[in-house]
Amino acid sequence: MLTTIHAICLRTVRYNDRNNILALYSRERGRLSVMLPAGNGREAARRRALTMPLSMIEGIADLRGARQLATVRDMRSMTALPAIHADPVKMSMAMFLTELLGVVVPEGEADEALFDFMADSITALDAAVEGAANFHLAFLYHLGRFIGIEPDMGTYRPGMVFDMLEGIFRPTPPLHRHFLMGDDAEAVRLLSRMRWDNLKAFRLSRNERRRILSVMLDYYGLHYARLTGLRSMEILGELFD
């Protein structure tokens, strides 16, 4: 069945000497794996440029059934991302986000709101001049809304404890050990205030970013999936002072 798709490129892996497999998240069908011809010619180079991490593409997908990989033809760019693909720092951020999304984005039916959030976030990363060092933290926090683990900020009061299992603030620590106090609990509120247009207002040291990222990955691990094996995390941790 031929279907027009609008999709975000996640990861390309070698399948055999003749083909690659490209993982996508599409607005129309959710997660897809599509077969792309490999090679070294001009057309292969164009496909590689179109399908770099976080690239947004549109095309005609041939969806032949669950047992066969889809193919895409008439592939073209939806939105140019010159800064992401030219800036080594933003490209490293893109690698981290594609690894992250490859783990946490669920299989199944399409989620247009999730796709729109991802697309808006990618556009914001490309346009960011200041504050890009905080981008992954804001993205992780706000992604939680779409996968059902966003903290309930309606329960927040200064000085309260954040219960990581329940995703709420409490006046006293819970009986289990998965909770945050003090500065770590206040960091949850700080993250909830981050938006793409105010990232530069949050001045964090490298150690503060690392600590916040570590706590966020623990939170994801409690609710969704362990992310500690992401290969791009170590590189990301060295990028920003």
Side-chain angles (χ1 to χ4, degrees), residues 117-133:
F117 164 74
M118 291 165 59
D120 289 345
S121 301
I122 293 165
T123 302
L125 175 60
D126 189 75
V129 176
E130 297 181 77

Side-chain angles (χ1 to χ4, degrees), residues 2 16 20 28 37 56-57 86-87 119 121 148 160 162 169 173 188 190 199-200 206 225 235:
L2 297 179
N16 56 33
N20 295 327
E28 295 78 13
M56 292 185 278
I57 61 170
D87 183 331
S121 301
M160 294 181 77
F162 181 64
F169 288 86
V188 179
L190 178 146
L199 291 179
K200 65 181 180 181
R206 174 182 291 186
I235 297 172

Side-chain angles (χ1 to χ4, degrees), residues 59-234:
I60 307 298
D62 187 354
L63 307 174
R64 301 185 180 185
R67 294 190 177 184
Q68 289 184 291
L69 288 169
T71 58
V72 180
R73 59 181 175 83
D74 299 334
M75 191 187 301
R76 54 198 175 275
S77 175
M78 284 174 53
T79 304
L81 302 171
I84 288 178
H85 296 148
D87 183 331
V89 171
K90 291 186 176 182
M91 192 62 195
S92 296
M93 186 77 74
M95 296 294 291
F96 171 77
L97 296 183
T98 53
E99 275 199 284
L100 165 74
L101 291 168
V103 174
V104 306
V105 170
E107 301 281 355
E109 295 183 3
D111 183 335
E112 292 186 0
L114 172 57
F115 178 87
D116 290 344
F117 164 74
M118 291 165 59
D120 289 345
S121 301
I122 293 165
T123 302
L125 175 60
D126 189 75
V129 176
E130 297 181 77
N134 296 325
F135 185 90
H136 59 306
L137 304 180
F139 186 90
L140 271 169
Y141 180 89
H142 292 296
L143 178 64
R145 180 191 325 155
F146 300 94
I147 60 175
I149 63 172
E150 182 181 26
D152 181 359
M153 295 308 300
T155 60
Y156 169 81
R157 300 292 183 277
M160 294 181 77
V161 174
F162 181 64
D163 183 334
M164 295 176 73
L165 285 180
E166 298 296 328
I168 62 174
F169 288 86
R170 297 180 180 276
T172 58
L175 296 178
H176 57 77
R177 63 185 179 86
H178 302 294
F179 62 89
L180 303 175
M181 300 179 65
D183 290 344
D184 285 342
E186 286 298 316
V188 179
R189 177 174 177 267
L190 178 146
L191 290 167
S192 73
R193 296 166 54 203
M194 285 186 176
R195 299 290 183 271
W196 306 139
D197 60 354
N198 71 358
L199 291 179
K200 65 181 180 181
F202 297 89
R203 300 191 177 277
L204 302 172
S205 69
R206 174 182 291 186
N207 287 337
E208 286 171 330
R209 285 194 193 92
R210 284 180 169 174
R211 174 59 183 165
I212 292 172
L213 179 59
S214 176
V215 169
M216 294 182 79
L217 296 180
D218 287 344
Y219 183 68
Y220 266 76
L222 288 172
H223 291 273
Y224 201 86
R226 295 258 168 218
L227 302 177
T228 52
L230 300 185
R231 290 174 297 174
S232 56
M233 276 183 55
E234 186 173 345

